[in-house]
Amino acid sequence: MPYPKNLLNDHETVALDLHPHWWFFAKGVAALVVAIVAGILVLVFFDGDVQKYVVYAAIAAIVGCAIWVVKRYAQWSTTNFVITNDRVIYRTGVVAKSGIEIPLRRVNNVLFNQSVFERILGAGDLMIESGGETGQQRFTDVRNPERVKNMIYAQMEAATRSTEPGATGGDVVSQLEKLEGLLHRGSLSQREFDAQKRRLLGD
């Protein structure tokens, strides 16, 4: 499920929209496979009343693991890691939603970490250091974290170029509209908005 476009600010565009890496399912799938194998072994090595009760237990384990896998899939499909030209967004939740938004202008550093195994799989963790209240945010099971890091820096550079003194009048208007969107969403305080507005207008 892609990130809802109605949650974007005016003139905000999505550069990258990712679900977690498939490794997100590893534990649930492994548990389901073990439960199925255990059920087969029960049929082979037990008989009589003992087999009946153990089979019931094996079936319950298989059903429980299957439900776990389905639940993980629902979580996977409703979890988005999004990079736009304004911010980094993490949103998750099947019914109740939670998440975090980090304006690109507040990002200080982006780090990624991959073990040898994760590098083979193309997965890893991403750490974003920002000037906000949270300071650091770690995101796990990110697909190709080095590529994601480079994409964040590319969007930050593009945003910086668009606010340079040589930017066209249209760019200034666009940036003002984006700032107003951030103000309305609560990502900017009124004082921060006024300071950014003065900088854009050259006051």
Side-chain angles (χ1 to χ4, degrees):
M1 183 182 299
Y3 185 76
K5 294 186 180 298
N6 64 319
L7 297 180
L8 297 173
N9 295 323
D10 294 337
H11 304 287
E12 187 175 20
T13 57
V14 174
L16 190 66
D17 185 357
L18 295 176
H19 293 302
H21 190 272
W22 61 263
W23 185 246
F24 184 80
F25 298 105
K27 292 181 180 179
V29 172
L32 179 59
V33 170
V34 169
I36 293 173
V37 171
I40 294 173
L41 293 177
V42 165
L43 294 176
V44 173
F45 292 103
F46 291 87
D47 57 16
D49 291 338
V50 174
Q51 183 191 61
K52 181 175 65 174
Y53 293 120
V54 178
V55 165
Y56 288 155
I59 291 174
I62 291 172
V63 172
C65 290
I67 292 173
W68 185 17
V69 171
V70 171
K71 180 180 178 182
R72 292 292 282 177
Y73 176 78
Q75 292 174 335
W76 176 88
S77 64
T78 55
T79 298
N80 297 83
F81 183 91
V82 181
I83 302 172
T84 75
N85 57 332
D86 272 340
R87 51 193 168 138
V88 176
I89 305 167
Y90 179 80
R91 186 172 186 261
T92 187
V94 179
V95 180
K97 299 291 184 181
S98 62
I100 185 170
E101 299 178 5
I102 307 174
L104 291 177
R105 62 183 181 78
R106 291 187 177 178
V107 174
N108 296 327
N109 197 17
V110 183
L111 307 170
F112 76 94
N113 181 60
Q114 287 180 295
S115 65
V116 175
F117 181 66
E118 287 176 326
R119 190 170 181 81
I120 294 172
L121 296 178
D125 298 341
L126 201 70
M127 172 77 78
I128 299 179
E129 298 178 353
S130 68
E133 294 180 0
T134 52
Q136 292 183 337
Q137 287 294 326
R138 179 179 294 276
F139 304 95
T140 59
D141 296 322
V142 177
R143 285 188 282 171
N144 299 313
E146 186 172 10
R147 170 175 169 254
V148 174
K149 181 199 73 170
N150 292 338
M151 178 65 72
I152 293 174
Y153 281 135
Q155 291 301 311
M156 290 171 63
E157 183 177 351
T160 300
R161 285 200 304 268
S162 68
T163 57
E164 288 176 349
T168 64
D171 287 333
V172 172
V173 172
S174 175
Q175 289 299 313
L176 284 174
E177 290 174 342
K178 292 173 184 176
L179 288 175
E180 288 175 353
L182 290 172
L183 176 64
H184 293 154
R185 295 175 66 87
S187 299
L188 280 179
S189 67
Q190 184 64 49
R191 185 173 63 179
E192 291 173 328
F193 170 81
D194 292 338
Q196 291 291 330
K197 181 178 179 180
R198 285 195 298 270
R199 183 172 65 82
L200 283 174
L201 298 177
D203 294 341

